[in-house]
Amino acid sequence: MKIDTDDFVSKSLDWRTRALKSVAYGTSSTPRGNQKPAPLVAARASGAHVWDISGQRFIDYALGFGPLILGHSPEGVIQAVIAELGRGLRTATIHRGEAQLGELIAQTLPSAELSAFVSSGSEAVQLALRIARATTGRTRIIRFRGNYHGWFDSVHSGGRPGNDGPDTLGQDPAATASSVLLDWGDLDMLRATLTRDFAAVLLEPVAVNGGCFMPPDGFLEGLRAITREMGVMLIFDEVISGYRLSLGGAQARLSVTPDLSVIGKAMGAGFPISAVAGSAAAMEPVASGRLLHRGTFNGNPVSVAAAVACITYLRDNAAWLYPRMEAQASELAGFIDTEARAQGLAMSVRQAGSALQLFPSVAGVTQLSDAGRMNRPATDAFAADLMAAGVQIIGRGLMYLSSEHTDTDIAETKAAFAHAIAAAVRRDL
Ligand SMILES: Cc1ncc(COP(=O)(O)O)c(C=O)c1O
């Protein structure tokens, strides 16, 4: 679908000029202000589509940075939330939804017997680390380069290739002093490093943030065996892969069960909710009340109602929904690959279930260590060309499918890719 880019850009920039006067960076999360050719200012959204303030429609593969597995404003979730809104927004008490949600997670996520709720993935990672330290009485953790675990100081380092230091300004370097960073997928390095004085190994079991890489054969199994042998807790950060890679996340799909799982994004269908889930033994410090689990908005009834509706829908429709999203992702990946070859553009496309990562102008990206070769100017320009053709992806080349993308959306998306590939060949970045 052709977009009137001048109209979209001028209206976006007008709004941005206004927002910049009262909102730092003009928005609430830095990447949202970096979209090219201009940050999209959403007016409304429905299903797989978002309309901006110029009234133009974009097919959405950014999906709120991942949570919108059921698309924008799914009917069942909206109905559940409306019903909940009529019952009061927040009481300083227990409410019934918490146990309903806990039961659903225990039914669907292999590692889950008990859950503890917070509002964001970053908070859930913080809670999981605290549980691991409380359980083991140790402080050190192992993390992996190129994985992302949220923006809190203790885990916000090593995200950029070639830099093990803090990922942004203003961080306390002491906060990462108890972490050791290793190369994701390298079991030998882990074997050589892990001792009994570590509390946990924390990782994305499928490296979606690094560029949609499935784990090398035997990596997760090896991790599971060594951590068990050493009495170190294995924590899977499934904030993206939970309820996305399969109903039971990466752990169900890859048949490796961690001690603790961190889930978020897709579980809430767009509402802010995350959880740490584990066996009763792994969750003991929280379950016994010994470890203080605090947070005014933890398990808020509206987000909990959304998550109950979302997970129930995913559970009841898993048989068609996951294969369909994944088939659409494969179809797009295949098309992009073929079209780029036909037009003579170097291009790598990685797929992890219903997530895709594009590396425009870069050939041969096959493992996480190759992701450092990402050509950022070419990726930005490619995303901008897709936007001009009516398709929104995440600026760094990441895309998600939802249950709401139709065959027509996929056909229009292919046409947009053909256009963006032609533009990239002309630009030659
Ligand atoms: C794997 C992973 N863990 C944790 C987080 C942090 O979640 P949140 O942004 O909800 O704080 C993210 C966010 O993208 C993530 O991708």
Side-chain angles (χ1 to χ4, degrees):
M1 207 187 83
K2 188 81 184 89
I3 294 291
D4 180 344
T5 310
D6 290 345
D7 188 33
F8 143 59
V9 168
S10 74
K11 291 202 167 83
S12 283
L13 292 181
D14 281 353
W15 187 268
R16 186 150 170 78
T17 304
R18 171 176 168 179
L20 282 166
K21 290 182 184 143
S22 62
V23 179
Y25 211 55
T27 181
S28 309
S29 171
T30 314
R32 295 179 213 165
N34 293 338
Q35 261 185 315
K36 308 274 186 316
L40 197 139
V41 183
R44 71 186 175 91
S46 167
H49 301 139
V50 55
W51 284 259
D52 84 327
I53 52 171
S54 72
Q56 304 191 75
R57 193 205 74 173
F58 298 82
I59 306 173
D60 190 8
Y61 295 92
L63 295 179
F65 290 95
L68 307 180
I69 193 157
L70 301 180
H72 292 274
S73 306
E75 179 63 20
V77 173
I78 296 297
Q79 289 310 324
V81 165
I82 289 172
E84 196 58 44
L85 287 172
R87 298 186 192 114
L89 295 183
R90 169 83 279 183
T91 54
T93 70
I94 290 169
H95 63 95
R96 287 171 292 184
E98 288 169 321
Q100 290 163 356
L101 181 55
E103 287 158 11
L104 272 171
I105 295 173
Q107 243 178 49
T108 49
L109 189 72
S111 63
E113 194 174 346
L114 296 178
S115 292
F117 303 116
V118 288
S119 299
S120 68
S122 298
E123 290 172 84
V125 168
Q126 165 70 18
L127 179 59
L129 291 176
R130 196 173 272 187
I131 294 170
R133 287 174 172 140
T135 301
T136 58
R138 312 165 189 161
T139 48
R140 301 179 76 204
I141 59 163
I142 286 181
R143 294 190 283 115
F144 295 91
R145 299 182 178 97
N147 281 185
Y148 176 69
H149 302 295
W151 62 274
F152 290 180
D153 281 13
S154 68
V155 290
H156 201 199
S157 65
R160 282 169 299 156
N163 171 28
D164 280 357
D167 282 339
T168 190
L169 301 178
Q171 290 185 240
D172 177 0
T176 48
S178 55
S179 325
V180 174
L181 279 167
L182 301 181
D183 289 337
W184 187 87
D186 188 339
L187 201 53
D188 292 336
M189 201 186 253
L190 183 95
R191 275 204 191 93
T193 310
L194 193 69
T195 55
R196 289 179 197 278
D197 68 342
F198 281 91
V201 175
L202 168 67
L203 77 156
E204 285 183 70
V206 173
V208 179
N209 284 300
C212 289
F213 298 96
M214 298 302 280
D217 284 350
F219 179 54
L220 297 183
E221 292 81 355
L223 267 178
R224 180 62 285 186
I226 308 170
T227 47
R228 191 167 278 142
E229 191 187 310
M230 299 270 184
V232 173
M233 295 192 91
L234 180 61
I235 308 174
F236 279 4
D237 181 344
E238 297 227 44
V239 168
I240 292 180
S241 55
Y243 294 103
R244 175 166 284 285
L245 209 67
S246 78
L247 182 66
Q251 55 195 266
R253 180 150 174 168
L254 302 170
S255 305
V256 178
T257 305
D259 298 299
L260 293 173
S261 305
V262 181
I263 51 175
K265 298 205 191 240
M267 73 180 279
F271 280 82
I273 184 158
S274 279
V276 180
S279 64
M283 295 294 286
E284 189 282 332
V286 183
S288 63
R290 292 190 303 122
L291 187 161
L292 288 181
H293 168 217
R294 312 189 90 148
T296 306
F297 296 108
N298 290 353
N300 80 80
V302 177
S303 292
V304 166
V308 167
C310 178
I311 296 175
T312 303
Y313 185 87
L314 291 171
R315 182 197 62 192
D316 295 348
N317 293 276
W320 65 266
L321 189 148
Y322 289 99
R324 183 167 170 271
M325 288 193 303
E326 198 156 329
Q328 288 176 329
S330 300
E331 187 181 340
L332 283 178
F335 176 84
I336 297 163
D337 189 54
T338 308
E339 187 66 20
R341 278 173 208 278
Q343 295 200 36
L345 178 71
M347 177 98 175
S348 302
V349 188
R350 305 286 320 165
Q351 179 179 0
S354 58
L356 292 176
Q357 174 70 47
L358 314 174
F359 293 89
S361 302
V362 184
V365 175
T366 57
Q367 51 190 357
L368 185 54
S369 54
D370 297 329
R373 293 197 280 117
M374 172 179 277
N375 181 334
R376 197 57 215 242
T379 308
D380 284 344
F382 198 83
D385 285 325
L386 284 173
M387 192 95 100
V391 166
Q392 177 181 228
I393 65 168
I394 295 174
R396 63 190 161 99
L398 180 59
M399 307 173 57
Y400 294 107
L401 274 297
S402 76
S403 62
E404 297 307 293
H405 287 88
T406 62
D407 291 347
T408 309
D409 291 323
I410 301 296
E412 285 182 23
T413 303
K414 286 180 181 171
F417 267 97
H419 159 87
I421 289 168
V425 171
R426 282 196 301 274
R427 202 169 28 242
D428 192 24
L429 278 175

